[in-house]
Amino acid sequence: MLDRLMLDPPLYRDAMSRYAGHVQIVTTAFEGERRGVTITAACSVSDNPAMVLACLNVSNPRNEIFRRSGHFALNALAADQAELANVFSGRDPSIPGDRFTEGQWGELVTGAPVLEGALASFDCRLIEVKVMSTHMILFGEVLGVVYGAQKPALIYMDRGYRSL
């Protein structure tokens, strides 16, 4: 057991709000169902083999589809895609049901939905899932990559969208 000092969660969240994160939509498809979630906790793990990780809240039972499907796509958003980020974050309740009616979606290798016009999309085979506290960490081997036009990235910082 770790001997640790308990940090006040709101204090921690306030400090983390000052940490800029690239906004992405992580997606998967399994047995006719698609799931997509807006996240900022994702990064490269390795370039040989090409590997990324993405973090999802484990308390949402709908996120279990990422484990069952065995694949996911990580879609990096541009600054002009903030509305789409809101749709997939659940912040825009005016989009009922299938969030994938927003944006143009295709596939690369695994069958996970890939956003057309994303800055970059990484199509991944799920290698491992680790649950750490409140989140599941998806480790994926990148099997396909596609990238769009070079334009400003969508960043989340100080509890709002910014561009870089």
Side-chain angles (χ1 to χ4, degrees):
M1 176 143 198
L2 295 175
D3 184 22
R4 60 185 162 188
L5 176 66
M6 292 301 293
L7 188 63
D8 180 47
L11 175 67
Y12 175 76
R13 285 191 301 272
D14 286 344
M16 287 304 296
S17 75
R18 297 182 181 187
Y19 189 86
H22 190 174
V23 181
Q24 303 183 55
I25 298 174
V26 61
T27 60
T28 195
F30 184 64
E31 295 182 346
E33 180 183 351
R34 295 186 293 181
R35 174 95 172 127
V37 180
T38 300
I39 65 169
T40 56
C43 67
S44 171
V45 174
S46 170
D47 67 351
N48 189 17
M51 192 172 290
V52 297
L53 68 77
C55 301
L56 291 165
N57 193 314
V58 76
S59 68
N60 187 327
R62 293 192 65 216
N63 287 340
E64 187 59 30
I65 190 174
F66 286 91
R67 190 188 315 253
R68 290 192 327 264
S69 71
H71 60 266
F72 65 93
L74 194 56
N75 301 278
L77 300 185
D80 62 0
Q81 294 171 316
E83 299 271 335
L84 194 59
N86 282 334
V87 168
F88 280 84
S89 71
R91 292 172 108 183
D92 185 348
S94 69
I95 308 295
D98 187 6
R99 295 173 176 176
F100 290 93
T101 59
E102 301 297 314
Q104 299 295 313
W105 298 90
E107 296 176 4
L108 290 178
V109 178
T110 69
V114 172
L115 178 63
E116 293 178 19
L119 293 179
S121 294
F122 303 88
D123 191 19
C124 305
R125 178 173 62 94
L126 185 63
I127 299 296
E128 188 172 348
V129 176
K130 289 216 179 260
V131 175
M132 297 295 290
S133 192
T134 60
H135 282 69
M136 70 169 77
I137 307 164
L138 309 174
F139 291 88
E141 178 186 11
V142 179
L143 302 180
V145 174
V146 64
Y147 50 91
Q150 194 168 10
K151 52 187 176 177
L154 183 62
I155 304 296
Y156 191 77
M157 185 175 170
D158 289 331
R159 295 187 173 91
Y161 294 127
R162 311 279 186 255
S163 66
L164 178 64

